[in-house]
Amino acid sequence: MNIVWATSEAAPYAKTGGLADVSYSLPYALAENGHNVSVFMPYYPQVMAEKCDDTECVYELLGVPLGDGEEWAQIRRHKISDNLSFYFIEFDRFFDRPKLYDWDGNEYSDNAERFIFLSRAIMQAVLALDIKVDVLHSNDWHTAMCSVYLKSDLYNTFTNFSQTKSIITIHNIGYQGVFNKSNLYWTGLGWEYFNVHCFEFYDQLNFLKAGVLTSDMVTTVSPTYAEEILSPEYGFGLDHPLQHRAVQGKLRGIINGIDVNEWAPETDKLIPYNFSPSDLAGKALCKTELQKEFGLDVRPDVPLYGVVSRLAHQKGLDVFITCIDEMLKEDDVQFVIIGSGEKWQEAALADYAKAYPDRFGCHIGYSNKLAHLVEAGSDFFVMPSRYEPCGLNQMYSMKYGTVPIVRSTGGLEDTVSNYSAKNINNATGFKFYDLYPAALRDTMRWAASVYRNDKPAFKKMITNGMTTDFSWHHTAVEYEELYQHANTRF
Ligand code: ADP
Ligand code: GLC
């Protein structure tokens, strides 16, 4: 199949979260299975600085209609193999910025225009490069417009798209791309698209909604999340449109995999010592290095809880921040956190680090190297998410013998098997259900007590996690089936 993957970010070029990891690994896995995969994303010169040299310009004057005018972009390419290429839409007015979506937490005011442009540019690029598209796979609100364009008169007469099935994957329904309806102007589409079956959402434009209602198939990144988003609590206002698609059999949850080449404790070059399920000596040494790196007391026997996360409401770290106060006062435990996001959370974490320097370490910011060290050197990895479409870090943790402590939601529910004396052959982590400080605290204490008092059980959980297959193989096969069976047209 000729697959076009549309995204606003992909690792290693530009990444703010898991969408970037998926936008590299899944196209890679599909290409390995023999498909021709073309990934399209913006060219962010400031963010991709050291990656820019690897790209070549393959198309110089790509005309992209925008509003009543036309802009001119370039297409750059990074060829990974004969059947996998990353194409970058180069247009500096929109994408030459210090960060992808916002500056200091404030969304760029022209984000509607930027991502309408991106979606339109992808459609134009497909024509310019003459790709006969079997599958057009868009991701989240930023590229949701591709599905709308595909069905519109602007593109549905081109032979390149005559066999195209459209898929949209929801990685996070908390971000929908909701803008003033005047932005419809930039799309080149008429007001007939501003209705409840497409863009209209409480008298505003909603890009994700339009994508959900016009794609041939809607997927999200775990089976549990696919059910959760049908409820008002998790649907963020899109529960009704999604119920409509679910009734048509057009909503599926497919769990993400992880890049098992990048996240492999046996070969990882970013950690000081390597280890494997049969030889965990290196893990103990990584714990020592982690404690040293953050200036904590170097002690092998103290339970160490790690966190690597965006500090966003979704991640529930506000609850974590509240509940660990008591643990820092009363328990013999250590914490290491890497994250950035909401300013008050950053400040609260920095305050803990100042008050408990020997037991609490934090790095406010983004560091892939430290993320690998935290995964390798911690005993536990904490994810108290309010909602979690899939979550990748719990899988990275399990691969590194770090036992996840998670709220039972979305992909966390689907990938972690809860500890109990009866479930010890399968258990890989600890789950809690209600997002209250006491529930999280009790679960972290419960985990510490198993760590201290039932070492064989704890060791078994480590091995269970490390030997679970989280590779993209199964996921890629599920997407291939979905691509084959998605309807060509409504
Ligand atoms: P989300 O995409 O919602 O943020 P995921 O668990 O799917 O959550 O993916 C998060 C990705 O971003 C992981 O690869 C994680 O290691 C990485 N990450 C998040 N915050 C940081 C950080 N501060 N430093 C390094 N990596 C981070
Ligand atoms: C989103 C979700 C996360 C998921 C990732 C990749 O960022 O918040 O749960 O793992 O997308 O699909």
Side-chain angles (χ1 to χ4, degrees):
M1 284 182 270
N2 286 325
I3 300 165
V4 166
W5 180 276
T7 181
S8 56
E9 56 181 271
Y13 311 103
K15 167 169 164 175
T16 66
L19 168 62
D21 300 61
V22 175
S23 292
Y24 188 85
S25 311
L26 181 52
Y28 191 94
L30 290 164
E32 275 200 324
N33 287 358
H35 303 289
N36 296 316
V37 190
S38 311
V39 179
F40 285 88
M41 63 177 279
Y43 186 69
Y44 302 105
Q46 294 185 44
V47 176
M48 306 167 40
E50 76 273 23
K51 285 279 155 200
C52 290
D53 292 349
D54 294 343
T55 64
E56 49 164 341
C57 179
V58 289
Y59 203 91
E60 271 191 10
L61 276 176
L62 180 74
V64 184
L66 188 66
D68 288 333
E70 184 164 29
E71 301 290 353
W72 299 92
Q74 291 192 327
I75 309 175
R76 306 190 71 86
R77 176 170 69 172
H78 185 206
K79 190 171 170 188
I80 308 286
S81 65
D82 283 346
N83 59 343
L84 175 62
S85 282
F86 282 74
Y87 291 100
F88 303 94
I89 306 294
E90 182 175 17
F91 187 69
D92 287 351
R93 179 157 73 86
F94 286 150
F95 302 124
D96 186 10
R97 306 218 177 153
K99 290 177 87 192
L100 271 55
Y101 312 117
D102 62 86
W103 180 242
D104 231 7
N106 298 313
E107 302 262 307
Y108 296 128
S109 57
D110 57 354
N111 268 353
E113 198 184 339
R114 293 173 79 218
F115 290 102
I116 289 167
F117 173 85
L118 174 65
S119 304
R120 189 81 193 253
I122 292 172
M123 302 303 283
Q124 295 290 102
V126 164
L127 297 178
L129 300 172
D130 198 18
I131 302 172
K132 306 267 180 301
V133 191
D134 295 307
V135 173
L136 175 59
H137 193 146
S138 52
N139 293 277
D140 280 349
W141 74 266
H142 316 92
T143 49
M145 275 291 297
C146 289
S147 297
V148 185
Y149 280 134
L150 180 70
K151 295 269 159 52
S152 75
D153 292 347
L154 296 174
Y155 291 95
N156 67 12
T157 51
F158 286 99
T159 49
N160 298 66
F161 295 117
S162 60
Q163 299 298 320
T164 310
K165 304 165 190 180
S166 57
I167 318 289
I168 185 162
T169 294
I170 302 172
H171 296 263
N172 192 333
I173 210 167
Y175 305 88
Q176 299 180 4
V178 177
F179 299 99
N180 187 290
K181 62 188 174 192
S182 61
N183 286 293
L184 187 68
Y185 166 75
W186 301 115
T187 65
L189 298 169
W191 284 99
E192 67 275 20
Y193 286 83
F194 191 70
N195 62 55
V196 288
H197 305 293
C198 196
F199 286 115
E200 197 275 341
F201 184 74
Y202 301 99
D203 206 34
Q204 294 195 293
L205 281 186
N206 184 322
F207 289 111
L208 187 62
K209 180 184 177 196
V212 162
L213 289 174
T214 54
S215 297
D216 292 317
M217 197 77 203
V218 182
T219 71
T220 185
V221 286
S222 69
T224 295
Y225 193 61
E227 282 176 26
E228 287 174 341
I229 53 178
L230 301 179
S231 69
E233 185 187 353
Y234 288 93
F236 284 75
L238 289 191
D239 37 316
H240 279 204
L242 284 162
Q243 283 171 20
H244 173 64
R245 300 313 314 265
V247 168
Q248 295 173 323
K250 294 293 178 188
L251 174 65
R252 283 267 297 279
I254 302 178
I255 197 85
N256 287 332
I258 60 171
D259 182 340
V260 289
N261 295 320
E262 193 199 340
W263 295 94
E266 295 84 356
T267 50
D268 190 340
K269 292 200 169 50
L270 295 177
I271 56 175
Y273 300 95
N274 293 111
F275 53 94
S276 67
S278 57
D279 181 5
L280 289 168
K283 182 163 175 67
L285 295 170
C286 286
K287 181 171 177 178
T288 303
E289 290 305 314
L290 179 63
Q291 289 169 325
K292 281 192 200 155
E293 174 77 35
F294 283 87
L296 309 182
D297 283 349
V298 175
R299 288 172 48 202
D301 55 325
V302 59
L304 198 169
Y305 303 90
V307 174
V308 179
S309 184
R310 291 185 291 120
L311 302 177
H313 188 66
Q314 169 195 354
K315 301 294 178 182
L317 290 166
D318 47 330
V319 176
F320 173 83
I321 287 168
T322 310
C323 93
I324 59 170
D325 190 49
E326 187 179 306
M327 291 177 78
L328 282 164
K329 286 186 181 127
E330 296 176 6
D331 300 7
D332 184 19
V333 293
Q334 295 182 338
F335 298 95
V336 169
I337 301 190
I338 304 180
S340 61
E342 290 182 12
K343 295 293 164 219
W344 79 266
Q345 294 195 17
E346 293 183 354
L349 295 172
D351 283 349
Y352 276 135
K354 223 183 267 167
Y356 303 95
D358 49 344
R359 286 191 294 137
F360 189 96
C362 78
H363 171 84
I364 303 299
Y366 189 93
S367 164
N368 190 36
K369 185 159 189 249
L370 285 179
H372 280 248
L373 183 61
V374 170
E375 294 289 6
S378 306
D379 299 302
F380 300 104
F381 194 92
V382 188
M383 293 180 77
S385 305
R386 274 198 173 75
Y387 68 94
E388 195 60 76
C390 178
L392 301 172
N393 278 304
Q394 78 281 14
M395 293 190 266
Y396 300 154
S397 309
M398 288 185 265
K399 272 282 153 218
Y400 282 70
T402 298
V403 174
I405 298 173
V406 302
R407 173 150 182 269
S408 176
T409 182
L412 300 176
E413 165 63 11
D414 293 338
T415 54
V416 177
S417 176
N418 199 13
Y419 166 81
S420 77
K422 280 190 197 142
N423 187 36
I424 196 61
N425 285 332
N426 297 313
T428 51
F430 295 86
K431 287 183 181 172
F432 68 102
Y433 297 84
D434 299 319
L435 190 53
Y436 297 132
L440 173 57
R441 188 167 49 230
D442 287 351
T443 310
M444 287 201 281
R445 285 177 165 162
W446 172 36
S449 96
V450 175
Y451 170 92
R452 288 200 166 99
N453 304 320
D454 193 349
K455 293 206 165 18
F458 194 72
K459 176 90 193 301
K460 180 77 177 110
M461 288 173 81
I462 290 178
T463 326
N464 289 347
M466 291 183 87
T467 51
T468 305
D469 180 6
F470 294 117
S471 69
W472 276 99
H473 178 70
H474 310 285
T475 311
V477 169
E478 279 197 64
Y479 276 105
E480 285 178 72
E481 276 171 23
L482 181 105
Y483 291 161
Q484 268 149 11
H485 297 122
N487 287 343
T488 307
R489 287 279 184 260
F490 285 116

